[in-house]
Amino acid sequence: MNTLIAVNGTLMRGLSLHENITSIGGEFLYETKTEKKYRLYSIDDKYPAMIKDENGESIDVEIYSLPYESLAKLLFKEPPGLVIGKLKTIDGTTMFGVLAEPYLVKDKKEITSFKGWRNYIKSRNL
């Protein structure tokens, strides 16, 4: 049995850790945005961290189908401070997503205005 998961950073197609999701059975389905309740931060320009904030914005995400048994495998491949939680997309669908624990973004650069990791890395030529 599979579940949906939204990713917002280096797990996305063409980015550095995309193989971490495809190697455990993740299949890309579509691109969308979160509802307007998230903030995005750069963790030393290596990867993003997204947190929920009632005064946030919509963030670009990719949606994957992932076997339930692969959720833990995915989490263990993620950097410390990133977690699997529930998020809501712009169309109101609730699903799992890669989120950050609040301590991770303390004193980090907020990049919410870019609306997504791809836009941010393009602006920085990373």
Side-chain angles (χ1 to χ4, degrees):
M1 181 174 250
N2 286 7
T3 188
L4 297 178
I5 186 163
V7 301
N8 63 66
T10 56
L11 291 174
M12 294 165 60
R13 292 170 299 143
L15 299 182
S16 62
L17 298 180
H18 182 66
E19 187 176 300
N20 284 359
I21 196 165
T22 59
S23 68
I24 58 172
E27 293 183 25
F28 172 78
L29 298 177
Y30 59 93
E31 295 177 1
T32 190
K33 297 178 180 300
T34 65
E35 67 179 345
K36 290 181 102 175
K37 292 188 178 181
Y38 296 88
R39 295 210 175 273
L40 195 64
Y41 295 83
S42 174
I43 308 303
D44 304 321
D45 283 350
K46 294 178 183 172
Y47 58 91
M50 187 170 71
I51 62 169
K52 189 160 186 166
D53 183 321
E54 292 298 317
N55 298 310
E57 295 294 335
S58 290
I59 304 297
D60 295 336
V61 291
E62 288 185 353
I63 309 304
Y64 287 78
S65 174
L66 186 69
Y68 275 110
E69 62 271 12
S70 294
L71 279 172
K73 292 176 188 175
L74 182 64
L75 182 56
F76 281 116
K77 290 176 180 270
E78 288 292 275
L82 295 182
V83 298
I84 304 293
K86 288 183 184 176
L87 64 72
K88 194 176 281 191
T89 58
I90 200 163
D91 70 357
T93 303
T94 299
M95 65 184 68
F96 290 116
V98 178
L99 301 171
E101 294 186 53
Y103 81 86
L104 185 62
V105 303
K106 186 173 174 23
D107 300 323
K108 298 299 181 183
K109 180 179 183 180
E110 183 172 354
I111 60 170
T112 304
S113 63
F114 290 91
K115 308 288 189 194
W117 182 244
R118 283 188 196 280
N119 294 334
Y120 175 71
I121 61 175
K122 283 179 190 173
S123 78
R124 302 281 306 211
N125 292 319
L126 296 176

